[in-house]
Amino acid sequence: MCIMTDSGKTAAEIFGKLKNDYEFRTLVASVFSALVTFVFAGYNVVLGVLHGTVWNVCIAVYYFLLVFMKFTMAWAEKRYHDTGLTEDERRNRREKFLLWQSVMLFVIDLSLLAPVVMMIKSERVVDYSSVAAIAMAAYTVYKTVAASLNYSKTRKSLNLGVRIIRDVYFKDALVSVISLQYVLINTFGDGVNGVMLTVSEVTGSLLWFLIVTVSAFSMAQAIRLRKSRKNSASSEE
C-alpha cells in the first residue's frame, strides 16, 4: 500500500511538474521527439538502401544528428539534476556547453545542404496523393506555429539548454516548410521547372540561410558569454 501511495505521489508530482514547469515539459517533449525522429531516420535509411536513393540517406544523416543533439541536451540536464548542482552551477555548466552545442547546430546546417539542393533541383522522387500532400501541409503548419510559439516563449528563458532545444525545433520546422514546398509543387503542379524552379531556388535558399542565421545567433551568444565569464574571472583576480 505504501509503495502504491509513493508511486501515485511520484506520478502526481511528475504530472504536476509537466503541467506547471514549461522548461521541464520542453525537455521531456524533446526526449519523445528524439525517439520519433530516430525511427523516422531509420525508415529513411531503409528506403535509401532498398531504392538506392541518395536523398533518403542524406536526410537520414540530418535526422540522426538531430537525435544526437536532443538526447545530448536531455542527458546533460539530467546529469545537472542528479549531481545536485545549484541553479548558478547549472547555469555555468550550460554556458560552457553552449559553444559545443552551437558548433553542432552548424554541423546540422551543413548536413542539410545536400537534401535541400536535391529538392530544389528536383532530384528527389515524390509520389504523394492529394490527400497525403494536404495532410502534410496541415502538419507542417502546426509544426511551424508550435515551433514559432516556443521560440517566442523561451526568448527570455535563463535555461540555455531549453533555448538550444527551441532553436533545434525551429530549424526542423523550416526544413519541413522546404520539403512541403517541393511536395506541393510536384503534386499539384507540373514539377520543378520554369518559374517554379526559380521560386524553389529562391525560397529554398532563403529558408536555409534563415536556418544558418539561427545558428549564428546561438554562436554569437556562446562567444559573448565565454568572454563575459573570462572578464569576470580576471576582475576577481
Side-chain angles (χ1 to χ4, degrees):
M1 178 69 72
C2 182
I3 294 176
M4 290 179 65
T5 303
D6 290 343
S7 299
K9 184 179 179 181
T10 302
E13 289 175 349
I14 292 174
F15 281 114
K17 197 170 184 181
L18 283 171
K19 180 181 179 181
N20 301 315
D21 190 333
Y22 177 79
E23 294 183 350
F24 178 71
R25 187 165 68 247
T26 300
L27 291 169
V28 172
S30 175
V31 174
F32 283 105
S33 173
L35 291 173
V36 173
T37 305
F38 181 79
V39 173
F40 193 60
Y43 171 69
N44 274 282
V45 169
V46 172
L47 288 180
V49 172
L50 291 178
H51 301 289
T53 51
V54 179
W55 186 88
N56 287 103
V57 175
C58 289
I59 203 68
V61 171
Y62 159 73
Y63 283 123
F64 277 128
L65 287 173
L66 277 186
V67 171
F68 176 72
M69 187 84 175
K70 291 176 181 178
F71 272 128
T72 301
M73 290 183 294
W75 173 78
E77 289 297 323
K78 183 179 184 304
R79 188 181 56 168
Y80 300 155
H81 179 270
D82 292 345
T83 51
L85 297 177
T86 65
E87 192 55 44
D88 286 340
E89 289 172 332
R90 292 184 192 186
R91 181 169 177 78
N92 288 333
R93 295 284 184 90
R94 289 174 186 136
E95 287 181 2
K96 292 177 182 178
F97 199 33
L98 183 62
L99 184 60
W100 177 87
Q101 291 172 325
S102 301
V103 171
M104 274 302 300
L105 288 179
F106 276 116
V107 172
I108 290 173
D109 296 343
L110 290 175
S111 74
L112 275 172
L113 263 179
V116 170
V117 170
M118 287 180 189
M119 282 190 284
I120 291 175
K121 298 299 183 183
S122 195
E123 294 177 13
R124 173 194 174 191
V125 178
V126 172
D127 187 18
Y128 280 85
S129 66
S130 298
V131 174
I134 292 171
M136 181 180 178
Y139 176 68
T140 301
V141 170
Y142 160 76
K143 190 174 183 179
T144 305
V145 170
S148 299
L149 289 175
N150 284 332
Y151 197 91
S152 177
K153 282 182 180 179
T154 57
R155 213 171 25 160
K156 296 181 180 180
S157 173
L158 297 177
N159 189 326
L160 296 176
V162 168
R163 286 160 71 171
I164 284 289
I165 291 174
R166 167 204 69 183
D167 292 346
V168 170
Y169 277 131
F170 191 62
K171 285 169 173 285
D172 196 25
L174 292 176
V175 173
S176 296
V177 172
I178 296 174
S179 183
L180 175 63
Q181 169 191 266
Y182 183 72
V183 169
L184 292 179
I185 289 174
N186 281 276
T187 303
F188 298 105
D190 297 322
V192 184
N193 51 59
V195 176
M196 284 296 101
L197 175 59
T198 303
V199 171
S200 184
E201 288 176 343
V202 172
T203 55
S205 300
L206 287 175
L207 286 170
W208 187 79
F209 280 118
L210 180 56
I211 290 170
V212 174
T213 300
V214 173
S215 300
F217 275 116
S218 177
M219 177 66 75
Q221 183 186 29
I223 294 172
R224 186 172 64 253
L225 289 172
R226 190 183 183 90
K227 287 182 179 179
S228 177
R229 191 167 59 247
K230 285 184 177 180
N231 292 335
S232 297
S234 300
S235 61
E236 288 176 2
E237 293 175 359

